[in-house]
Amino acid sequence: MRTQVIVVGAGPVGLMLAVELRLGGADTVVVERRTAPDAASRASTLHARTMELLAQRGLLPAFGGPPHTGTGHFGGIPLGLDEVPSPYAGLWKIPQAHVEHVLAGRAAELGAVVLRGHTLRALANRPDGVTAEVMGPTGPMTVEAGHLVGCDGEDSAVRRLAGIPFPGTEGRRELLRADVTGVRVRARRFERHPRGLAVAGPLGDGVTRVMVHEYGAAPRDRGPGGAVAFDEIAAAWARVTGDDIAGATPLWANAFDDTARQAASYRRGRVLLAGDAAHRQLPVGGQAVNLGLHDAVNLGWKLAATARGHAPPGLLDTYHSERHPAGARALTAIAAQALLLLGGPGVDGAREVVAELLALPTARAQLAAAIGGFDPAAPPGPRLPPRALDGAAPRTTARGLLIDLTGEPARAEALRARAAGWADRVEVVGRRPLTSGPLAGAGTALIRPDGHIAWRGGPSAGPDEALTGWFGEPDRTQRRQP
């Protein structure tokens, strides 16, 4: 089999990447070892920037009206997220299984091929392409492609086979987690007890998620997936809270820890990494799945442009240069949260200080923005505000957007003629001037397919250099006017 891009892993990150690649016009094959989607939803929290990205692709209606709250936390300390500058401020509860279902449907609709029950066994990373050796239900098969992306989780086979280092720190603290039915468990929001931490929250349909950590409990070697018997969780819960949940029926259970690792490079030749394959962190506050989805949207249009042969030099390298620093900053914040959340009584003083700092508007806004996916210190910089285009329809293509912001129809038409050589990659629209936000006062702006602002200029500024720098050389067969 031959394709342009192989994606290994059909979790949320791999499926989101498949959607983005197909929107960008790249032939895509997804290889997934599971024979069917996983019904267990370990991740269930989406943040504001993720919701914006889903809305940008027209995917939000498929999720209905998910539960929403304006209050999040930092290391278990309450943190208001409803002041983040986004129409989707706050936390949105969408089970991972539902996210996978919607993304799988969209990827298939766009023509991505998903091979379930297929396991990657070997890969050859050559200067001119990638060969993947895959074992499927009917035996071995070979898939040839221009690039391969590992979205196959923290124990990534792609990362191992590609020889990409994964430095970091081993976990020191272990949490036990389960979704249970058949027992009434009162809601507990990061309750700190003398012996440990307890969390419980309803998920609907009589299901409650419980998590427990006994102070000082170190990770154990539990094998793939962190398998743990529910009896062990119930016993730890009783020791920490004094309550008995032994009669509950577990739907699934696992153990996880605060290991923090990040791939030394998100790209090695023709092989790239995204999601947990690129970074492993304590899954606190839904950070892991959100980071991974942002990886996918950042990478998708760049890799599709590369596969189609019109990417400018160095475009694919910006995936690492943008997402690696963003991941590193997130891991640093998560490490701080792990200490505040899972440290014993010795961290109570630090928690009091952090709580006082979070009462300050500047500190609160900084952390809320970072958690929401808008870290002002992380690349690639500001995004196009969701409401800047006067309620325009969702952008369901992976094309860029060149905007005339003078409000003059004749100038927008002249800009469209000037950018005709990029018409297959960039859409030109005219809008009224903006008086606030990152495009206030701009006459022209170029927006990347992932929604970030690539360039802004005055009313007389020419966009040619920016268009070439982000979208490659123009098609000279198209008629262009000055």
Side-chain angles (χ1 to χ4, degrees):
M1 176 183 289
R2 182 175 294 275
T3 188
Q4 290 179 310
V5 181
I6 303 167
V7 177
V8 181
V13 178
L15 292 170
M16 188 77 218
L17 180 59
V19 169
E20 293 295 296
L21 288 166
R22 288 300 302 137
L23 288 174
D27 294 335
T28 304
V29 170
V30 182
V31 176
E32 168 57 52
R33 62 177 177 79
R34 296 174 299 172
T35 57
D38 193 347
S41 293
R42 287 164 173 77
S44 61
T45 300
L46 298 184
H47 296 144
R49 179 57 182 153
T50 304
M51 296 294 285
E52 287 186 3
L53 293 170
L54 294 173
Q56 178 178 305
R57 295 297 186 247
L59 292 168
L60 278 192
F63 294 107
H68 166 259
T69 178
T71 303
H73 72 94
F74 186 84
I77 301 169
L79 172 64
L81 301 176
D82 48 3
E83 296 179 9
V84 170
S86 169
Y88 306 103
L91 301 177
W92 301 80
K93 292 296 183 179
I94 305 178
Q96 179 175 324
H98 193 187
V99 174
E100 288 189 17
H101 175 74
V102 170
L103 293 178
R106 182 58 174 151
E109 181 182 277
L110 291 169
V113 175
V114 179
L115 302 177
R116 291 196 173 273
H118 288 70
T119 302
L120 178 70
R121 297 296 190 189
L123 67 85
N125 184 8
R126 306 183 311 276
D128 62 342
V130 175
T131 300
E133 301 295 338
V134 177
M135 179 61 71
T138 60
M141 65 181 296
T142 299
V143 186
E144 300 279 351
H147 293 83
L148 181 147
V149 187
C151 302
D152 51 341
E154 59 190 32
D155 298 319
S156 171
V158 172
R159 188 183 64 237
R160 173 176 51 81
L161 292 170
I164 299 176
F166 200 42
T169 58
E170 291 293 342
R172 295 190 297 150
R173 309 171 185 91
E174 183 181 66
L175 288 89
L176 307 179
R177 170 176 60 178
D179 285 357
V180 300
T181 62
V183 67
R184 293 180 62 87
V185 184
R186 72 171 179 83
R188 299 173 183 265
R189 184 171 174 82
F190 303 109
E191 282 189 359
R192 288 172 61 81
H193 295 261
R195 298 188 64 173
L197 173 82
V199 182
L203 299 180
D205 297 327
V207 179
T208 300
R209 175 161 297 177
V210 296
M211 292 189 290
V212 62
H213 166 69
E214 294 184 85
Y215 295 140
R220 293 165 49 186
D221 184 5
R222 299 179 181 275
V228 58
F230 181 66
D231 289 349
E232 183 180 348
I233 297 176
W237 185 266
R239 289 192 295 270
V240 170
T241 69
D243 290 347
D244 181 11
I245 61 170
T249 300
L251 302 181
W252 64 271
N254 80 331
F256 61 100
D257 60 54
D258 60 343
T259 295
R261 294 187 176 277
Q262 187 177 26
S265 176
Y266 284 14
R267 178 189 180 192
R268 172 165 286 187
R270 297 279 182 147
V271 175
L272 302 101
L273 303 174
D276 287 350
H279 40 77
R280 177 177 175 179
Q281 58 285 307
L282 179 72
V284 59
Q287 291 285 283
V289 69
N290 287 271
L291 275 174
L293 291 171
H294 299 178
D295 290 344
V297 175
N298 184 290
L299 175 59
W301 68 278
K302 299 172 182 178
L303 186 51
T306 302
R308 292 180 60 196
H310 58 66
L315 178 66
L316 197 54
D317 291 330
T318 67
Y319 170 60
H320 171 86
S321 65
E322 292 177 355
R323 292 308 299 164
H324 193 276
R329 285 183 59 81
L331 262 65
T332 296
I334 291 171
Q337 292 196 66
L339 178 62
L340 294 171
L341 189 64
L342 306 178
V347 304
D348 287 347
R351 290 177 58 85
E352 291 178 8
V353 171
V354 172
E356 291 175 3
L357 290 174
L358 291 183
L360 302 176
T362 301
R364 185 171 63 248
Q366 169 71 24
L367 283 181
I371 288 174
F374 306 104
D375 188 342
R383 92 290 192 206
L384 177 71
R387 291 173 177 160
L389 297 185
D390 300 324
R395 306 205 56 248
T396 54
T397 71
R399 292 193 294 170
L401 191 64
L402 184 60
I403 314 174
D404 172 70
L405 292 164
T406 65
E408 302 171 7
R411 186 178 184 280
E413 199 57 40
L415 195 64
R416 187 172 290 108
R418 183 167 187 167
W422 292 274
D424 61 330
R425 288 157 269 168
V426 177
E427 178 184 357
V428 181
V429 298
R431 290 290 182 267
R432 58 178 173 74
L434 297 176
T435 58
S436 62
L439 294 180
T444 313
L446 179 63
I447 311 302
R448 306 185 335 177
D450 58 8
H452 286 278
I453 299 170
W455 169 85
R456 52 167 285 167
S460 61
D464 299 50
E465 183 177 349
L467 285 165
T468 302
W470 285 104
F471 296 98
E473 293 293 332
D475 180 353
R476 302 295 181 183
T477 65
Q478 298 295 318
R479 182 168 175 245
R480 294 180 68 245
Q481 299 178 2

